[in-house]
Amino acid sequence: MHWSLVAFCTGVGLASAENGLNGWLRYASLPDNLRHRSASVPPMIVALNTTETSPVYTAGKELQAGIKGILGRSVDISHDFPSSHNSESPCILVGTAAAYNAKYGSANLTSFTTDGFWLSVKGNNVLILGQNERGALYGAFEYLSMVAQGNFSDVNLLSNPDAPVRWVNQWDNLDGSIERGYAGPSIFFSNGAAVDDLTRVSQYARLLSSIRINAVIVNNVNANASFLTPANINGLGRIADAMRPYGVRLGISLNFASPQTLGGMNTFDPLDPTVDAWWDNKTDLLYQRIPDMAGYLVKANSEGQPGPLTYNRTLADGANMFARALKRHGNRDGNGGIVMFRAFVYNNHINETDWKADRANAAVDFFKHLDGQFEDNVVVQIKYGPIDFQVREPTSPLFANLFNTSTAIELQITQEYLGQQAHVVYLPPLWKTVLDFDLRVDSKPSLVRDIVSGQRFSRGLGGYAGVVNVGTNTTWLGSHMAMSNLYAYGRLAWDPALDPQKMLEEWTRLTFGFDRSVMDAVTKISMASWPAYENYTGNLGIQTLNDPLTHFGPNPAAQDNNGWGQWTRADRQGIGMDRTVSNGTGFAGQYPPEVAKVYENIDSTPDDLLLWFHHVNYTYHLRGSGETVIQHFYNAHYAGAETAQTFATQWESLRGKMDDERFNDILFKLKFQAGHSIVWRDAITGFYHNLSGIPDSTGRVGHHPWRMEAESMMLQGYRLVSVDPPETASNGTAIVTTSNSTAGSAVAKLPDDFKSGQYDIAIGYFDVIGGRAHYGAFINDEPLEEWIGDLEDKLGHAFSKKLDGSSATRITIPGIKLEKGDVLKIVGAPDGIEQAPLDYIALIPANANMVD
Ligand code: GCU
């Protein structure tokens, strides 16, 4: 390699705030024991950019800031080619391969694909060349990631993306709210317009570019036509400007009826030339302001959204109208505007009494016959499973039914059905079940990841869309731990063959540093989290049994008897959807024959999808463990909740190994998860126990040996209420204060046969939106603990206005000495509509082997 340089700039280090704002880009000072080879990091940076908005310029600044933070060294930046070649003058040279070649003519460009980069570290010389400017920035981040992890080895790495589309979707609204967002209001919009201060937008783009995400759809799929007013187009332009230095392009979600609702026309028929012209005009205006716009995302004829079917036009007619409008603006930088057209089209008024009705069939039914009819800049965006981001779903069969249409997989980083960032759930193992799934199209290897990358069916486009929904909370997602999901999403979109645990370890080092015990705990908790969550929320492929409104806590009965089609078909005898061709909805037949055969036959269906494909009696024996379905439900829910109890305990052992701010924040959430996993366990096991009438062979379900129901205590200023659904409260009932302003108390005296000793005191209560009740626990009138029903503040969002499985929660006061005759008292002071609701108190003996 031949280069050298001259350069004079001052370096500025990043403040190492530990509120999460810098995510995995903290550039924390490297510990001394890892610095011994750091002398090889060159003392100068040459950034071959042409403008200050170029990602190459950003790369130079980022390298400078990173080296300052990690190694404490100030490194100058030059933007000129070194006048002479002198390998004695080491530097980090970053630029596009084309710029480098124009001067030195020695980089091989043929091996690059769009956004790819080459990173060469040879002793004191670092060369980072991008296929384009974005690629150069990716290479700089790769180098910084190595340095931040204490890796100073020589490398010669050519890295190309697996797929061109590596987008994130934000479901932000103009008023600043975010659909299914759990981290506060929007960083993009507020009060009907783009926010004035776009600092957070740039910071988000920085994080995204470091994981090689190349575009953001900035608004909700349930789109508002007002995004297309002149003022809002300008606002979108400002957002695009803020992200451009990071190589992140802007795209928007469209509302199909905009020509009518915003344009005042009497139609939005996609085949009407005046409608076409309206969209052309809007597209022109957008490109005038945002010349590198990434494209459009369209949710049409889904969940009440307008679409082409209203006019008896096909979904392809609708998609192509936008595709043509985008094509008028050419193919910039190999990245012309794309229409991401969602396959999430289904009828939400289907009838459960029809045994053959099945929402899961919808995507293939709606799209298969349109294969080949889409313009070449349309990508059909398909959720990973046929229903909706459930804890376990089979791979969407639509991936195996479109051969002449580009496709992308839609994953969800925001944990809508998976604990809403209040539960730790590390998602890549779930995503990998789909990405690595072999659909055996034409009996040939057909991994989903090779279909969406375009390789399997030779498509030029395709890739990844991740629903992220970051908000203004400094942790971005509302939880430090949830950021591993965003990190891994970007890495997988670039290289889906990566190993979930390896990505996690990388993220952990970058986020928390090098302490071995931190690495072990984060790894153990994260890798156990999805299986545990599946165990306590909905196993054997029955889906996540969430409340249909909040999508958070348990409400198993509510899955059925509605038109939404997320049915379990549970009755007194059995449970599960028969999706066979022979006797059910026929869904299994949407897969290619080799796969269809596996699912059609109950004996070859994997246990974890048993109830997705088959309706069986509760007494059916599983292939794997031999347990009955119902006993497996009981066992799995107890096992899942038990695993969740260990998370907080493991975390406790890390006290002092990181900053208090993050340590405490994570600990609080893990304790919440421990409590809420018990709410889940009790609700689901209680519900099916009641429905089936089949006892738990180990006697746990329905028996709470150490619980005292709040309603059985001596009450003053409290009254009994029924909870709906009943299984989300111990004994189906709770107590609330009789007035909205006066405190109530619940008192119990420990009986004579009470065994004195050490106990964990667990208190089940409800924390609803709309008030911050105050609670105090006393023993013999001595204060023991006080707390506030303020999860809406502590978790960053609230779950429910009423007493149910989403507001049910519990705290544990560990290691308390109790004696017979002690008087326990809980005093609850209501606030607003939160009438200090209490469910039960459990006195769990120390060293008990079960959490009651
Ligand atoms: C889910 C989610 C909605 C969202 C929809 C979609 O149903 O609950 O909020 O709009 O998916 O992906 O379009």
Side-chain angles (χ1 to χ4, degrees):
M1 205 48 42
H2 324 279
W3 75 93
S4 66
L5 54 98
V6 206
F8 315 88
C9 275
T10 36
V12 186
L14 279 187
S16 62
E18 298 294 334
N19 57 7
L21 202 54
N22 285 317
W24 50 85
L25 298 177
R26 293 156 59 242
Y27 300 146
S29 176
L30 200 63
D32 287 345
N33 61 340
L34 292 169
R35 280 169 178 252
H36 52 280
R37 291 186 56 208
S38 68
S40 62
V41 172
M44 279 178 266
I45 297 164
V46 180
L48 300 178
N49 57 288
T50 43
T51 63
E52 290 203 357
T53 54
S54 152
V56 176
Y57 179 84
T58 309
K61 299 300 275 183
E62 199 68 34
L63 285 162
Q64 188 183 49
I67 292 168
K68 177 76 180 169
I70 300 163
L71 301 174
R73 281 185 217 153
S74 298
V75 182
D76 290 341
I77 306 177
S78 155
H79 298 289
D80 296 325
F81 272 99
S83 52
S84 64
H85 295 164
N86 178 358
S87 53
E88 304 295 301
S89 309
C91 73
I92 304 172
L93 190 146
V94 58
T96 62
Y100 181 82
N101 268 4
K103 180 81 178 173
Y104 303 118
S106 63
N108 175 4
L109 301 183
T110 53
S111 37
F112 276 128
T113 59
T114 304
D115 294 350
F117 65 87
W118 180 43
L119 169 64
S120 158
V121 180
K122 245 193 236 163
N124 291 98
N125 283 315
V126 178
L127 180 62
I128 303 167
L129 297 183
Q131 182 270 347
N132 53 17
E133 298 197 328
R134 187 182 295 127
L137 178 57
Y138 294 168
F141 277 121
E142 176 70 21
Y143 178 62
L144 282 168
S145 172
M146 284 177 59
V147 174
Q149 293 181 73
N151 178 357
F152 299 99
S153 34
D154 282 2
V155 293
N156 189 359
L157 169 74
L158 175 75
S159 189
N160 284 317
D162 200 60
V165 176
R166 302 180 307 280
W167 292 16
V168 298
N169 294 178
Q170 286 286 139
W171 288 354
D172 294 32
N173 300 313
L174 269 176
D175 64 1
S177 62
I178 305 178
E179 180 145 346
R180 315 296 177 190
Y182 311 113
S186 173
I187 61 168
F188 296 97
F189 308 107
S190 111
N191 290 324
V195 297
D196 290 334
D197 180 354
L198 292 168
T199 309
R200 285 296 297 268
V201 172
S202 307
Q203 289 168 334
Y204 186 34
R206 171 174 176 254
L207 285 172
L208 293 178
S209 69
S210 75
I211 50 170
R212 306 170 198 171
I213 296 298
N214 54 10
V216 185
I217 296 287
V218 292
N219 63 311
N220 194 350
V221 281
N222 300 314
N224 185 332
S226 313
F227 276 97
L228 299 175
T229 63
N232 283 331
I233 288 179
N234 189 46
L236 292 169
R238 289 178 40 248
I239 293 173
D241 295 344
M243 300 197 298
R244 190 168 294 111
Y246 291 95
V248 179
R249 302 198 300 166
L250 172 140
I252 57 169
S253 295
L254 298 179
N255 183 300
F256 208 90
S258 306
Q260 192 175 71
T261 53
L262 181 70
M265 295 170 61
N266 60 9
T267 176
F268 55 90
D269 178 353
L271 295 192
D272 184 319
T274 60
V275 170
D276 233 8
W278 192 88
W279 282 114
D280 283 352
N281 174 256
K282 282 295 173 198
T283 307
D284 294 350
L285 293 172
L286 280 159
Y287 272 99
Q288 258 168 38
R289 182 62 184 84
I290 311 167
D292 56 355
M293 188 173 75
Y296 293 143
L297 174 63
V298 182
K299 172 178 178 178
N301 291 114
S302 160
E303 302 186 329
Q305 292 298 323
L309 301 181
T310 313
Y311 294 94
N312 281 330
R313 310 304 187 194
T314 70
L315 294 165
D317 291 333
N320 291 342
M321 170 178 68
F322 302 116
R324 286 191 304 270
L326 291 169
K327 275 189 181 173
R328 289 153 52 85
H329 296 274
N331 201 23
R332 288 179 182 76
D333 192 22
N335 285 315
I338 294 172
V339 182
M340 302 292 283
F341 198 82
R342 293 179 93 223
F344 188 60
V345 180
Y346 68 100
N347 174 358
N348 58 359
H349 300 286
I350 51 175
N351 182 357
E352 193 170 356
T353 60
D354 175 1
W355 186 251
K356 303 216 177 244
D358 191 357
R359 167 173 163 186
N361 286 341
V364 171
D365 287 351
F366 276 109
F367 282 86
K368 183 181 167 69
H369 66 284
L370 299 175
D371 187 24
Q373 295 180 28
F374 293 93
E375 295 279 343
D376 59 6
N377 59 336
V378 174
V379 176
V380 173
Q381 179 169 319
I382 306 170
K383 289 190 182 185
Y384 61 80
I387 297 280
D388 195 12
F389 302 135
Q390 299 298 292
V391 72
R392 185 171 304 260
E393 295 189 49
T395 298
S396 169
L398 188 56
F399 293 114
N401 283 281
L402 298 176
F403 315 113
N404 299 302
T405 303
S406 297
T407 55
I409 186 167
E410 184 173 315
L411 303 173
Q412 202 182 36
I413 289 90
T414 188
Q415 297 166 227
E416 177 179 350
Y417 295 91
L418 287 109
Q420 303 187 355
Q421 279 95 295
H423 292 230
V424 168
V425 183
Y426 181 56
L427 297 166
L430 181 169
W431 298 336
K432 290 285 270 183
T433 63
V434 176
L435 291 171
D436 294 348
F437 190 78
D438 189 348
L439 282 158
R440 304 296 302 162
V441 178
D442 295 332
S443 295
K444 293 200 188 106
S446 309
L447 303 190
V448 171
R449 63 189 208 219
D450 295 333
I451 294 172
V452 298
S453 72
Q455 289 154 35
R456 175 63 180 88
F457 303 130
S458 307
R459 305 292 313 163
L461 273 178
Y464 295 77
V467 182
V468 184
N469 298 354
V470 299
T472 50
N473 187 285
T474 62
T475 63
W476 296 97
L477 284 168
S479 145
H480 295 287
M481 292 287 274
M483 288 293 272
S484 57
N485 288 324
L486 179 56
Y487 180 82
Y489 166 70
R491 303 312 304 243
L492 281 177
W494 185 269
D495 179 1
L498 290 176
D499 173 56
Q501 186 165 329
K502 290 249 161 57
M503 292 185 288
L504 178 71
E505 286 167 3
E506 206 172 87
W507 172 81
T508 306
R509 267 191 298 275
L510 295 170
T511 303
F512 294 112
F514 297 87
D515 192 295
R516 192 67 238 171
S517 52
V518 174
M519 172 67 77
D520 287 348
V522 173
T523 308
K524 266 176 95 176
I525 292 169
S526 303
M527 294 309 290
S529 61
W530 172 56
Y533 189 82
E534 180 179 30
N535 272 344
Y536 63 74
T537 61
N539 47 13
L540 301 180
I542 197 61
Q543 305 175 73
T544 329
L545 298 167
N546 305 97
D547 180 87
L549 284 181
T550 64
H551 292 183
F552 183 63
N555 192 348
Q559 311 299 308
D560 292 280
N561 301 316
N562 60 51
W564 289 92
Q566 293 189 222
W567 304 323
T568 69
R569 290 197 182 278
D571 58 19
R572 297 197 71 78
Q573 263 71 48
I575 184 167
M577 284 283 291
D578 186 338
R579 290 188 159 110
T580 60
V581 176
S582 53
N583 185 47
T585 72
F587 170 79
Q590 292 189 338
Y591 291 94
E594 277 185 47
V595 177
K597 206 169 128 205
V598 171
Y599 293 144
E600 181 72 17
N601 183 344
I602 195 166
D603 293 327
S604 52
T605 303
D607 285 343
D608 53 26
L609 286 172
L610 176 72
L611 303 179
W612 180 282
F613 284 103
H614 302 279
H615 183 86
V616 298
N617 284 345
Y618 293 110
T619 50
Y620 178 85
H621 287 269
L622 298 180
R623 283 197 303 149
S625 60
E627 297 160 305
T628 61
V629 163
I630 192 72
Q631 191 58 43
H632 180 81
F633 261 54
Y634 299 151
N635 293 347
H637 283 81
Y638 271 80
E642 200 178 306
T643 304
Q645 308 309 302
T646 66
F647 295 168
T649 325
Q650 288 179 67
W651 196 260
E652 293 265 18
S653 71
L654 304 182
R655 193 181 293 277
K657 309 233 156 156
M658 67 181 68
D659 53 292
D660 289 349
E661 196 175 348
R662 289 185 299 169
F663 172 81
N664 287 326
D665 192 76
I666 294 169
L667 181 60
F668 181 83
K669 290 193 171 73
L670 291 174
K671 285 184 175 170
F672 171 83
Q673 181 171 7
H676 201 231
S677 69
I678 289 180
V679 171
W680 268 102
R681 178 197 78 182
D682 293 349
I684 302 298
T685 54
F687 177 79
Y688 290 106
H689 180 240
N690 195 27
L691 187 63
S692 69
I694 301 174
D696 169 16
S697 63
T698 65
R700 298 156 300 186
V701 177
H703 295 116
H704 297 291
W706 298 311
R707 277 189 200 179
M708 223 185 309
E709 293 300 331
E711 58 271 20
S712 67
M713 297 170 74
M714 271 158 27
L715 304 182
Q716 208 168 34
Y718 260 115
R719 69 185 164 87
L720 182 81
V721 286
S722 310
V723 173
D724 179 26
E727 64 274 7
T728 59
S730 201
N731 208 28
T733 51
I735 58 169
V736 295
T737 54
T738 45
S739 103
N740 274 354
S741 50
T742 314
S745 65
V747 177
K749 188 172 173 196
L750 300 182
D752 284 350
D753 58 356
F754 184 80
K755 214 167 152 236
S756 305
Q758 289 267 345
Y759 287 81
D760 290 346
I761 304 182
I763 300 167
Y765 68 106
F766 297 83
D767 190 334
V768 298
I769 309 173
R772 287 162 182 81
H774 187 278
Y775 297 86
F778 301 81
I779 298 178
N780 303 327
D781 281 331
E782 291 290 322
L784 176 68
E785 180 82 40
E786 44 181 327
W787 72 99
I788 296 174
D790 60 353
L791 289 177
E792 52 268 65
D793 307 321
K794 298 240 176 67
L795 295 174
H797 69 113
F799 304 109
S800 177
K801 284 199 172 100
K802 56 190 206 49
L803 309 194
D804 59 18
S806 299
S807 57
T809 183
R810 78 181 214 169
I811 61 158
T812 300
I813 311 160
I816 303 300
K817 234 177 130 233
L818 293 175
E819 290 178 21
K820 65 180 173 189
D822 280 350
V823 176
L824 291 183
K825 180 165 73 175
I826 309 286
V827 176
D831 178 54
I833 64 157
E834 191 168 81
Q835 294 169 281
L838 270 179
D839 187 5
Y840 63 86
I841 300 178
L843 305 179
I844 305 165
N847 307 322
N849 59 7
M850 187 187 119
V851 181
D852 189 12

